[in-house]
Every structure is written in C-alpha cells, then in structure tokens.
Amino acid sequence: MSKEHDHGMTIIVKTVTRLTVGLIFLYGIYIILHGHLTPGGGFAGGVIVALSFINLDLAFGGKVSAKIFSRGSTSVIEAFGGIMFLALALLGLRWGGFFDNFLHPDGEPGMLISAGIIPLENIAISLKVGAGLFAIFLTLITLQKFESEKK
Amino acid sequence: MIELYVLLGLMIAGSLIAIEVKNLLSAVIAVGVVGLGLSIVFLLLKAPDVALTQIVVEIVAVILLIRATLNRDIAMKYCGRRPFGAIMGILFTGFVFVIALITFKDGLNLFGAPLMTVSQFYPQNAIEGTGAMNVVSAIILDYRAYDTLGEATVLFTAVVGVLTVMRSPGKKKEEDLQDSK
C-alpha cells in the first residue's frame, strides 16, 4: 500500500476513479475543442474538466489533486482565461470592432481549424469556468473541514 | 410525446419530495432527479447544447450541495402553516389557468412555429458568416459575444464572492488547505 491509500475513499472507488478519470478529462477536452462543430462548447467542456479534478479530490483526498492543480493555480488560470477572452475581443478592434472575427476565412467549415477566433474563445471560457468551479469546490471543502475540526 | 409527460411527472414528484422530506441528503438527491429530468427534456426538445450544459452543471451542483450540507449541523426551524401564502398561490395558479384557457382556446402553435425572421437569418448565414458548423456556438461567440462576456463576468463575480465570504476561516489553516482527512 503506497502513501496515497491513506486518505480518501475505499479501494473500490479509487480503482474505478483511476480507470475513468482520464477518460472524463479527455471527453472535456474533446467537447471544448469541437465546440464549433458539435454540441457543447467552452462552458460545458470546462465544467467536465473541473469534474474530473473534483472526482480525483473526492476519491483520493486533497493531496493527490493538489499535486496536479493546486488552489493557488486555480486563481491564476481563471484570471488568465478571463484576460484571454477579453484580449481576443480587444484584438478585433484592430480589424473592425469589438469581438470582430478577425481570423475568419481560415479553412473549410467543418474542419477542426476553422471558424476564426471561436475555438480560441471556447478555450478561454473553458479555462475560466473550470478553474472557477474547482476553486469554489476547494473553498467549500476547506470550510467544512475547519468546522469539523472546531467541534 | 408520452415520454415528455412521464419526465414532467417525475420532475414534479421530485420537487415535491425535495420540499417535504426531512432528511437533507434525500432532499438533495431529489433536486438532482429534477435537474437530470430537465436535461432529458431539453434533449427531447432538440436542444443538445443546453442539455449537455444542464447535465454537467447539475452534477457539479449536487456534489457541491452534498459536500456542503452533509455532516454539518444546520439549525432546523419548523415552519408553521401559512394560510395566506397558500390562498394566494392557489388564486394565482387559477388566474393563470383561466387566462391560458381563454387565450389558447384554438390550440397552441407547434413547437418552434411560426418561424421568425431572426431565427431564419442565423441558420442561413451562420456557416459562411463565421465558419462554425455549430450555429449555437456561432451565435453565442460571434453574433452575441457581448452576452457571453456578461455571463463570464457573472461567473467571475460569483467565484470572487464565494472566495471572499469563505475566506476568514480558511486563512487559519493555510498549510493543509487541500488535505481532507
């Protein structure tokens, strides 16, 4: 038994999580990157990516997920997503206006590289939504732990 | 169409259980039933984007509610019967029912009909205008991108609000913030 078995839930939950959490993460990435082709987009994909980290945190305890995605980096990544979205909007001012799709004719519609800045905006929104929801989750867990220690 | 009515009945039953049941975990699970039923209703009404967003947000909400409410002694306060509120609710529901009977006595329009000018413009022009095959994505990130910017601002404000309200107890255990034993 390695050290990571000390915290978190039972061995059944840990095994199932180890098998599925990568698939959940990849599904979120797929939803984000194909947001301009299939249903989904930045918001839903970002929530799925955050769910994979929440799954890790619930099953293995906080130390494992803190190694990959710590609490301090959630704030940085959320701010980076917001600034990236706003910077894409402001770059459009150079070519025509706020939120101008300045990359537009850039490939066949239906291919992965198409639709101008829409995939980049999807990535920005997914960073913002995923990091924000994971930060809320970590904050609520911390508060609950503090209250249970106080008793 | 029968599956829609089954789902609506399930959602009404779930919301009633969530109000009436005493156990907090059962109430949260009943709320989850309502949200998952709503997601399938969106799918049946041919809105897969909204269905996907609804199901993932519902899962996050149920996890957060369970983690935030379980193992915590919340002061339970018994609410007595409020006859004035019940009477007003029944009166308002009856009023809406009568108005709807008068208005729709010739039958409702089909879902999505009549097709309006704006909703004709987007499917015809979105693909050559933006290059995105998903028309919903083209609308929310190109034609109506200001709307998405406002939505991102709302989410940012919510995160900042939660972090601010929860900050004072969290600060004292800075060294093992993520360690949930």
Side-chain angles (χ1 to χ4, degrees):
Chain A
M1 293 290 248
S2 66
K3 196 124 190 276
E4 68 185 27
H5 290 283
D6 296 343
H7 300 291
M9 297 189 181
T10 60
I11 186 78
I12 301 172
V13 179
K14 281 177 181 169
T15 309
V16 174
T17 302
R18 195 177 291 129
L19 289 175
T20 56
V21 75
L23 292 177
I24 296 172
F25 186 78
L26 276 182
Y27 181 63
I29 300 287
Y30 163 78
I31 291 282
I32 294 165
L33 290 185
H34 287 70
H36 56 301
L37 304 175
T38 54
F43 196 93
V47 179
I48 294 172
V49 169
L51 269 174
S52 69
F53 284 107
I54 288 174
N55 198 347
L56 264 186
D57 196 295
L58 286 178
F60 289 100
K63 290 220 168 108
V64 176
S65 72
K67 262 184 240 162
I68 308 170
F69 200 14
S70 73
R71 197 183 131 114
S73 56
T74 56
S75 309
V76 176
I77 289 177
E78 199 208 352
F80 177 74
I83 288 175
M84 183 176 164
F85 190 66
L86 210 53
L88 283 170
L90 286 173
L91 272 178
L93 283 177
R94 162 75 179 75
W95 279 271
F98 204 57
F99 280 118
D100 186 68
N101 199 340
F102 56 88
L103 286 175
H104 169 42
D106 67 334
E108 285 288 308
M111 305 304 286
L112 188 60
I113 309 283
S114 67
I117 62 169
I118 289 180
L120 298 176
E121 284 174 330
N122 267 329
I123 291 171
I125 289 175
S126 70
L127 289 178
K128 185 164 173 41
V129 170
L133 281 179
F134 193 56
I136 289 179
F137 174 77
L138 286 181
T139 311
L140 285 175
I141 277 195
T142 311
L143 180 77
Q144 194 186 28
K145 210 178 123 239
F146 179 76
E147 280 185 351
S148 59
E149 275 176 5
K150 210 164 58 174
K151 268 181 238 162
Chain B
M1 221 50 191
I2 185 71
E3 65 270 21
L4 199 58
Y5 293 114
V6 171
L7 279 170
L8 289 176
L10 188 69
M11 285 164 62
I12 292 173
S15 44
L16 285 179
I17 289 171
I19 294 172
E20 290 297 329
V21 80
K22 288 278 187 288
N23 188 1
L24 217 49
L25 180 61
S26 309
V28 171
I29 290 173
V31 170
V33 167
V34 176
L36 296 181
L38 184 61
S39 153
I40 302 176
V41 167
F42 280 140
L43 203 58
L44 289 176
L45 294 177
K46 302 188 177 75
D49 289 87
V50 194
L52 192 57
T53 309
Q54 167 70 31
I55 193 167
V56 291
V57 171
E58 186 65 38
I59 290 170
V60 170
V62 167
I63 289 176
L64 281 183
L65 280 176
I66 289 178
R67 286 298 298 196
T69 56
L70 234 62
N71 306 326
R72 176 174 296 183
D73 32 321
I74 293 173
M76 299 290 276
K77 202 175 109 191
Y78 178 70
C79 289
R81 296 277 166 210
R82 286 172 293 183
F84 180 72
I87 289 171
M88 290 308 284
I90 290 170
L91 273 181
F92 182 73
T93 312
F95 177 71
V96 172
F97 188 67
V98 169
I99 294 291
L101 272 186
I102 294 170
T103 312
F104 300 122
K105 63 177 181 296
D106 301 328
L108 279 165
N109 287 327
L110 283 177
F111 184 70
L115 201 58
M116 284 180 282
T117 319
V118 177
S119 41
Q120 277 171 340
F121 173 81
Y122 287 127
Q124 284 165 1
N125 294 299
I127 291 181
E128 63 259 34
T130 65
M133 296 296 282
N134 184 4
V135 181
V136 176
S137 203
I139 291 172
I140 66 170
L141 289 176
D142 197 299
Y143 292 110
R144 296 281 180 270
Y146 276 105
D147 208 43
T148 309
L149 182 61
E151 178 200 298
T153 314
V154 167
L155 188 78
F156 183 72
T157 316
V159 173
V160 168
V162 168
L163 293 185
T164 311
V165 170
M166 307 285 183
R167 181 192 50 189
S168 45
K171 258 191 167 172
K172 293 172 186 165
K173 303 292 283 181
E174 197 75 56
E175 62 273 8
D176 55 353
L177 273 175
Q178 286 189 325
D179 182 20
S180 58
K181 285 177 194 124

